[in-house]
PDB file of all heavy atoms in Angstrom:
ATOM      1  N   SER A 249     -28.043  -2.032  -0.715  1.00 96.00           N
ATOM      2  CA  SER A 249     -26.917  -2.862  -1.140  1.00 96.00           C
ATOM      3  C   SER A 249     -25.624  -2.494  -0.413  1.00 96.00           C
ATOM      4  O   SER A 249     -24.703  -3.316  -0.310  1.00 96.00           O
ATOM      5  CB  SER A 249     -26.702  -2.756  -2.650  1.00 96.00           C
ATOM      6  OG  SER A 249     -26.301  -1.451  -3.023  1.00 96.00           O
ATOM      7  N   VAL A 250     -25.554  -1.247   0.090  1.00 97.00           N
ATOM      8  CA  VAL A 250     -24.424  -0.810   0.920  1.00 97.00           C
ATOM      9  C   VAL A 250     -25.012   0.020   2.059  1.00 97.00           C
ATOM     10  O   VAL A 250     -25.079   1.242   1.986  1.00 97.00           O
ATOM     11  CB  VAL A 250     -23.399   0.032   0.122  1.00 97.00           C
ATOM     12  CG1 VAL A 250     -22.168   0.330   1.002  1.00 97.00           C
ATOM     13  CG2 VAL A 250     -22.961  -0.681  -1.145  1.00 97.00           C
ATOM     14  N   PRO A 251     -25.454  -0.631   3.124  1.00 97.00           N
ATOM     15  CA  PRO A 251     -26.088   0.099   4.216  1.00 97.00           C
ATOM     16  C   PRO A 251     -25.064   0.790   5.110  1.00 97.00           C
ATOM     17  O   PRO A 251     -23.891   0.426   5.141  1.00 97.00           O
ATOM     18  CB  PRO A 251     -26.810  -1.008   4.986  1.00 97.00           C
ATOM     19  CG  PRO A 251     -25.989  -2.228   4.740  1.00 97.00           C
ATOM     20  CD  PRO A 251     -25.468  -2.088   3.335  1.00 97.00           C
ATOM     21  N   GLY A 252     -25.533   1.809   5.829  1.00 97.00           N
ATOM     22  CA  GLY A 252     -24.693   2.468   6.826  1.00 97.00           C
ATOM     23  C   GLY A 252     -24.138   3.791   6.354  1.00 97.00           C
ATOM     24  O   GLY A 252     -24.417   4.261   5.243  1.00 97.00           O
ATOM     25  N   PRO A 253     -23.309   4.431   7.196  1.00 98.00           N
ATOM     26  CA  PRO A 253     -22.699   5.710   6.830  1.00 98.00           C
ATOM     27  C   PRO A 253     -21.562   5.499   5.837  1.00 98.00           C
ATOM     28  O   PRO A 253     -20.788   4.542   5.955  1.00 98.00           O
ATOM     29  CB  PRO A 253     -22.181   6.250   8.168  1.00 98.00           C
ATOM     30  CG  PRO A 253     -21.936   5.029   9.003  1.00 98.00           C
ATOM     31  CD  PRO A 253     -22.972   4.036   8.578  1.00 98.00           C
ATOM     32  N   LEU A 254     -21.441   6.391   4.868  1.00 98.00           N
ATOM     33  CA  LEU A 254     -20.467   6.239   3.786  1.00 98.00           C
ATOM     34  C   LEU A 254     -19.414   7.340   3.835  1.00 98.00           C
ATOM     35  O   LEU A 254     -19.725   8.501   4.092  1.00 98.00           O
ATOM     36  CB  LEU A 254     -21.170   6.289   2.434  1.00 98.00           C
ATOM     37  CG  LEU A 254     -22.359   5.345   2.223  1.00 98.00           C
ATOM     38  CD1 LEU A 254     -22.954   5.568   0.833  1.00 98.00           C
ATOM     39  CD2 LEU A 254     -21.943   3.895   2.404  1.00 98.00           C
ATOM     40  N   PHE A 255     -18.169   6.943   3.542  1.00 98.00           N
ATOM     41  CA  PHE A 255     -17.110   7.940   3.364  1.00 98.00           C
ATOM     42  C   PHE A 255     -16.003   7.300   2.540  1.00 98.00           C
ATOM     43  O   PHE A 255     -15.379   6.331   2.965  1.00 98.00           O
ATOM     44  CB  PHE A 255     -16.550   8.412   4.702  1.00 98.00           C
ATOM     45  CG  PHE A 255     -15.661   9.626   4.576  1.00 98.00           C
ATOM     46  CD1 PHE A 255     -16.174  10.895   4.779  1.00 98.00           C
ATOM     47  CD2 PHE A 255     -14.333   9.491   4.235  1.00 98.00           C
ATOM     48  CE1 PHE A 255     -15.360  12.017   4.640  1.00 98.00           C
ATOM     49  CE2 PHE A 255     -13.512  10.604   4.088  1.00 98.00           C
ATOM     50  CZ  PHE A 255     -14.030  11.875   4.298  1.00 98.00           C
ATOM     51  N   GLY A 256     -15.757   7.858   1.344  1.00 98.00           N
ATOM     52  CA  GLY A 256     -14.741   7.333   0.450  1.00 98.00           C
ATOM     53  C   GLY A 256     -15.282   6.242  -0.458  1.00 98.00           C
ATOM     54  O   GLY A 256     -16.410   5.767  -0.296  1.00 98.00           O
ATOM     55  N   TRP A 257     -14.434   5.864  -1.428  1.00 98.00           N
ATOM     56  CA  TRP A 257     -14.818   4.833  -2.395  1.00 98.00           C
ATOM     57  C   TRP A 257     -13.739   3.772  -2.516  1.00 98.00           C
ATOM     58  O   TRP A 257     -12.537   4.082  -2.539  1.00 98.00           O
ATOM     59  CB  TRP A 257     -15.058   5.457  -3.778  1.00 98.00           C
ATOM     60  CG  TRP A 257     -16.458   5.992  -3.931  1.00 98.00           C
ATOM     61  CD1 TRP A 257     -16.961   7.161  -3.425  1.00 98.00           C
ATOM     62  CD2 TRP A 257     -17.533   5.354  -4.623  1.00 98.00           C
ATOM     63  NE1 TRP A 257     -18.281   7.289  -3.761  1.00 98.00           N
ATOM     64  CE2 TRP A 257     -18.664   6.207  -4.500  1.00 98.00           C
ATOM     65  CE3 TRP A 257     -17.656   4.170  -5.333  1.00 98.00           C
ATOM     66  CZ2 TRP A 257     -19.904   5.890  -5.072  1.00 98.00           C
ATOM     67  CZ3 TRP A 257     -18.888   3.855  -5.907  1.00 98.00           C
ATOM     68  CH2 TRP A 257     -19.989   4.709  -5.772  1.00 98.00           C
ATOM     69  N   ASN A 258     -14.192   2.519  -2.592  1.00 98.00           N
ATOM     70  CA  ASN A 258     -13.294   1.417  -2.913  1.00 98.00           C
ATOM     71  C   ASN A 258     -13.023   1.423  -4.414  1.00 98.00           C
ATOM     72  O   ASN A 258     -13.938   1.621  -5.218  1.00 98.00           O
ATOM     73  CB  ASN A 258     -13.933   0.089  -2.516  1.00 98.00           C
ATOM     74  CG  ASN A 258     -14.118  -0.043  -1.022  1.00 98.00           C
ATOM     75  OD1 ASN A 258     -13.151  -0.094  -0.273  1.00 98.00           O
ATOM     76  ND2 ASN A 258     -15.367  -0.086  -0.580  1.00 98.00           N
ATOM     77  N   ALA A 259     -11.753   1.181  -4.746  1.00 98.00           N
ATOM     78  CA  ALA A 259     -11.354   1.285  -6.148  1.00 98.00           C
ATOM     79  C   ALA A 259     -10.496   0.104  -6.570  1.00 98.00           C
ATOM     80  O   ALA A 259      -9.793  -0.506  -5.755  1.00 98.00           O
ATOM     81  CB  ALA A 259     -10.595   2.588  -6.381  1.00 98.00           C
ATOM     82  N   VAL A 260     -10.550  -0.188  -7.865  1.00 98.00           N
ATOM     83  CA  VAL A 260      -9.758  -1.257  -8.472  1.00 98.00           C
ATOM     84  C   VAL A 260      -8.807  -0.621  -9.485  1.00 98.00           C
ATOM     85  O   VAL A 260      -9.253   0.078 -10.401  1.00 98.00           O
ATOM     86  CB  VAL A 260     -10.670  -2.279  -9.175  1.00 98.00           C
ATOM     87  CG1 VAL A 260      -9.839  -3.325  -9.895  1.00 98.00           C
ATOM     88  CG2 VAL A 260     -11.603  -2.934  -8.175  1.00 98.00           C
ATOM     89  N   PRO A 261      -7.497  -0.834  -9.329  1.00 98.00           N
ATOM     90  CA  PRO A 261      -6.555  -0.233 -10.280  1.00 98.00           C
ATOM     91  C   PRO A 261      -6.509  -1.004 -11.590  1.00 98.00           C
ATOM     92  O   PRO A 261      -6.601  -2.235 -11.610  1.00 98.00           O
ATOM     93  CB  PRO A 261      -5.211  -0.331  -9.548  1.00 98.00           C
ATOM     94  CG  PRO A 261      -5.359  -1.511  -8.641  1.00 98.00           C
ATOM     95  CD  PRO A 261      -6.817  -1.564  -8.251  1.00 98.00           C
ATOM     96  N   VAL A 262      -6.349  -0.272 -12.671  1.00 98.00           N
ATOM     97  CA  VAL A 262      -6.167  -0.857 -13.991  1.00 98.00           C
ATOM     98  C   VAL A 262      -4.862  -0.308 -14.540  1.00 98.00           C
ATOM     99  O   VAL A 262      -4.752   0.873 -14.870  1.00 98.00           O
ATOM    100  CB  VAL A 262      -7.332  -0.514 -14.940  1.00 98.00           C
ATOM    101  CG1 VAL A 262      -7.099  -1.131 -16.310  1.00 98.00           C
ATOM    102  CG2 VAL A 262      -8.664  -0.974 -14.353  1.00 98.00           C
ATOM    103  N   GLY A 263      -3.849  -1.149 -14.601  1.00 96.00           N
ATOM    104  CA  GLY A 263      -2.530  -0.733 -15.047  1.00 96.00           C
ATOM    105  C   GLY A 263      -1.524  -0.741 -13.908  1.00 96.00           C
ATOM    106  O   GLY A 263      -1.889  -0.792 -12.730  1.00 96.00           O
ATOM    107  N   ASN A 264      -0.261  -0.709 -14.268  1.00 96.00           N
ATOM    108  CA  ASN A 264       0.839  -0.687 -13.308  1.00 96.00           C
ATOM    109  C   ASN A 264       1.649   0.592 -13.477  1.00 96.00           C
ATOM    110  O   ASN A 264       1.676   1.185 -14.555  1.00 96.00           O
ATOM    111  CB  ASN A 264       1.784  -1.882 -13.535  1.00 96.00           C
ATOM    112  CG  ASN A 264       1.078  -3.216 -13.397  1.00 96.00           C
ATOM    113  OD1 ASN A 264       0.048  -3.320 -12.743  1.00 96.00           O
ATOM    114  ND2 ASN A 264       1.640  -4.243 -14.018  1.00 96.00           N
ATOM    115  N   GLY A 265       2.311   0.992 -12.409  1.00 97.00           N
ATOM    116  CA  GLY A 265       3.164   2.166 -12.506  1.00 97.00           C
ATOM    117  C   GLY A 265       3.363   2.838 -11.172  1.00 97.00           C
ATOM    118  O   GLY A 265       3.095   2.270 -10.116  1.00 97.00           O
ATOM    119  N   THR A 266       3.830   4.078 -11.232  1.00 98.00           N
ATOM    120  CA  THR A 266       4.135   4.859 -10.038  1.00 98.00           C
ATOM    121  C   THR A 266       3.226   6.067  -9.982  1.00 98.00           C
ATOM    122  O   THR A 266       3.007   6.730 -10.998  1.00 98.00           O
ATOM    123  CB  THR A 266       5.604   5.327 -10.060  1.00 98.00           C
ATOM    124  OG1 THR A 266       6.464   4.191 -10.150  1.00 98.00           O
ATOM    125  CG2 THR A 266       5.947   6.107  -8.799  1.00 98.00           C
ATOM    126  N   ILE A 267       2.685   6.347  -8.812  1.00 98.00           N
ATOM    127  CA  ILE A 267       1.941   7.581  -8.582  1.00 98.00           C
ATOM    128  C   ILE A 267       2.619   8.348  -7.464  1.00 98.00           C
ATOM    129  O   ILE A 267       3.277   7.751  -6.599  1.00 98.00           O
ATOM    130  CB  ILE A 267       0.453   7.331  -8.258  1.00 98.00           C
ATOM    131  CG1 ILE A 267       0.295   6.467  -6.998  1.00 98.00           C
ATOM    132  CG2 ILE A 267      -0.238   6.674  -9.442  1.00 98.00           C
ATOM    133  CD1 ILE A 267      -1.148   6.293  -6.565  1.00 98.00           C
TER     134      ILE A 267
END
Side-chain angles (χ1 to χ4, degrees):
S249 66
V250 186
L254 308 178
F255 191 96
W257 275 77
N258 294 295
V260 176
V262 179
N264 301 337
T266 302
I267 60 175

